[in-house]
Amino acid sequence: MSQLIDKIAIVTGGAQGIGRAIAELLARRGAQVVVADINLEKAQSTAQAIADSTGRRAIAGHVNVADSASAQAMVDYTIAEFGRIDLLINNAGTTRDNLIVRISDADWDLVLGINLKGAFNCSKAAVRSMMKQRYGRIVNITSVSGLAGQAGQTNYSSSKAGLIGFTKALAREVGPRGITVNAVAPGFVPTDLTSDILAKVQDEAIKMTPLGRLASVEDVAYAVGFLVSDEASFITGQVLSVDGGMVMQ
C-alpha cells in the first residue's frame, strides 16, 4: 500500500468513531489531517492525539456541514493552513430513527441536511481547489442502509442512498480533472452513533453477516485508505461495501 506522504486530508465528523479511525490511518500513512467536526473541543483533543501518536501535523477545524458557508470556511481554513486539499472524506452523519408516521419534518430535514447536503456542501467547496491542481480523492461514507434500506430509517436510508447517486454523478463530472469519487458502505459498526440500534439488533445483525461479526472502525478506515491510495487511481464512481457480506450486489 502506497504511502500518503504530505497529502492534505479533511475528514468530516473526524473527532470520534469512524471519522477518527480514518483520520488516524491517513496520518499514519503520511498525510497531514484536518479533523473537521461540529464539536471543536473534541476535534482539538483528537487532532492533538493523532499528532502525538503519528508525528504528522493534525489540526482541528470547526464545521457544520449542513451549512454551506461553514463548509466553505472550513475548506478556506485548510487551504490557508496547508496550501491545498488532496483528500476529502465526507464522513459526518447523524440518525433520527423512527417509523415514518413518527418522523417529524425537523428530523427528516436534519438527517438529510447533514448526511447528504453536508457531502454536497463540502465537496462543492473542496473540488474547486482539486480541479485547479488536477488531482483529488473524495470518499463518501454511505451505509448498507442506503443499499438495502432499513425499517425505521426512511430518513437515514434515503440520505445514504442519495449519497450513492451523488458519488456516481460527481465521479463522472470531475473525472476528467484527475479526481476520483468513491463511497464506502459500512455495515453495523459499534460507535456512539449506532449504540442505541445495536443494543436492539446486534445478535440479529451478526446472524445476517456471513463473516459472523460486526465491522470495526478500523475495517472502514482501511477501505478508505485503499480508495485514496495510488493503487486505486483507476477506480471511481464505485461503492465498496464493508459489511462482512451482509448485503451482496
Side-chain angles (χ1 to χ4, degrees):
M1 183 68 66
S2 69
Q3 298 298 297
L4 302 171
I5 300 300
D6 291 331
K7 297 295 186 188
I8 309 304
I10 296 173
V11 182
T12 68
Q16 61 184 352
I18 290 172
R20 177 170 180 155
I22 293 169
E24 289 175 342
L25 178 71
L26 299 181
R28 285 202 309 270
R29 294 186 177 175
Q32 302 183 82
V33 180
V34 177
V35 178
D37 205 280
I38 198 166
N39 187 331
L40 181 58
E41 184 177 354
K42 187 171 286 187
Q44 288 170 333
S45 64
T46 295
Q48 187 62 57
I50 291 173
D52 290 344
S53 65
T54 66
R56 307 304 296 168
R57 188 178 178 206
I59 63 174
H62 178 264
V63 65
N64 174 6
V65 297
D67 180 79
S68 59
S70 180
Q72 184 65 58
M74 180 265 297
V75 167
D76 291 344
Y77 169 67
T78 301
I79 293 174
E81 289 290 324
F82 293 106
R84 67 181 194 279
I85 300 167
D86 300 306
L87 321 174
L88 171 64
I89 316 302
N90 286 311
N91 166 76
T94 193
T95 59
R96 291 295 186 276
D97 294 349
N98 219 325
L99 299 176
I100 191 169
V101 295
R102 296 175 183 167
I103 292 178
S104 65
D105 287 357
D107 282 349
W108 177 273
D109 292 343
L110 177 72
V111 171
L112 271 289
I114 293 173
N115 296 2
L116 182 54
K117 189 182 179 185
F120 162 75
N121 286 336
C122 294
S123 298
K124 182 180 179 180
V127 79
R128 289 186 175 94
S129 174
M130 292 179 175
M131 289 175 74
K132 288 178 182 178
Q133 66 196 23
R134 303 189 71 86
Y135 174 87
R137 300 282 184 267
I138 298 174
V139 179
N140 301 315
I141 306 303
T142 179
S143 169
V144 294
S145 293
L147 292 169
Q150 181 67 35
Q153 288 191 324
T154 52
N155 49 4
Y156 183 78
S157 295
S158 296
S159 71
K160 294 301 189 177
L163 193 53
I164 291 170
F166 173 79
T167 297
K168 294 177 181 293
L170 185 58
R172 290 187 181 277
E173 189 171 318
V174 300
R177 296 295 187 96
I179 303 166
T180 67
V181 188
N182 292 289
V184 171
F188 288 105
V189 184
T191 65
D192 289 344
L193 185 66
T194 61
S195 59
D196 288 343
I197 189 171
L198 277 178
K200 303 173 185 176
V201 303
Q202 178 168 323
D203 291 344
E204 186 62 27
I206 292 174
K207 289 179 184 177
M208 293 168 58
T209 304
L211 292 185
R213 66 172 176 86
L214 301 178
S216 68
V217 293
E218 290 79 14
D219 290 326
V220 182
Y222 289 137
V224 173
F226 168 66
L227 289 172
V228 300
S229 72
D230 290 343
E231 285 88 342
S233 63
F234 203 58
I235 298 173
T236 196
Q238 304 304 311
V239 181
L240 176 57
S241 293
V242 183
D243 63 358
M246 179 182 289
V247 176
M248 298 187 189
Q249 293 192 340

